[in-house]
Amino acid sequence: QVQLVESGGGSVQAGGSLRLSCAAYGYSVNMYCMGWFRQAPGKEREGVVVIDSDGRTSLADSVKGRFTISQDNAKNTLYLQMNSLKPEDTAMYYCALAFSSICQERLRYPDDFDRWGQGTQVTVSS
């Protein structure tokens, strides 16, 4: 069964940290463009960070210096470390995979991703 399964969401106070995980089943995370997206109520889905098979990353300006993407190839898992969280980071966070080894401009185009997880909720209170 091929799927992406996110975990690690929760509720934290502003300034806190969370680490999201995305376990990939049926795919090798180091072979494809992988990404994290988020969607707040009433807003469009937006790219947070993407990483391609060579390890190159692209982050949204709103999270630079606070969020970091990484992957554990042995566990076939993608991570999103989120530090210095702000109330505006509150959203459902989704892991995504594109059938390409290179991300190019996919941070801005969620429709270019081919597989999605079910999402994990992150709530940051002030």
Side-chain angles (χ1 to χ4, degrees):
Q1 186 176 6
V2 293
Q3 60 178 342
L4 302 172
V5 180
E6 301 99 331
S7 61
S11 297
V12 296
Q13 290 191 329
S17 298
L18 283 173
R19 188 178 79 157
L20 306 184
S21 300
C22 171
Y25 300 94
Y27 308 107
S28 295
V29 296
N30 63 342
M31 291 182 61
Y32 300 103
C33 169
M34 303 289 298
W36 287 97
F37 290 78
R38 66 186 182 186
Q39 188 167 19
K43 295 187 177 181
E44 293 186 353
R45 191 169 296 192
E46 65 172 351
V48 176
V49 59
V50 297
I51 182 169
D52 65 21
S53 63
D54 290 336
R56 290 172 296 187
T57 64
S58 179
L59 288 89
D61 288 343
S62 59
V63 305
K64 284 181 179 177
R66 300 188 299 122
F67 291 12
T68 305
I69 190 171
S70 62
Q71 57 192 43
D72 184 329
N73 296 332
K75 295 182 178 180
N76 210 29
T77 299
L78 187 73
Y79 300 100
L80 180 65
Q81 179 66 43
M82 305 186 295
N83 299 326
S84 302
L85 282 161
K86 303 176 181 180
E88 50 263 44
D89 295 318
T90 295
M92 185 71 79
Y93 283 72
Y94 298 90
C95 173
L97 176 151
F99 290 135
S100 172
S101 60
I102 299 173
C103 293
Q104 295 180 315
E105 298 298 317
R106 285 185 168 86
L107 179 68
R108 296 188 292 161
Y109 302 109
D111 287 346
D112 285 352
F113 282 78
D114 301 292
R115 295 291 184 269
W116 293 84
Q118 82 288 352
T120 185
Q121 178 68 36
V122 172
T123 303
V124 184
S125 59
S126 58

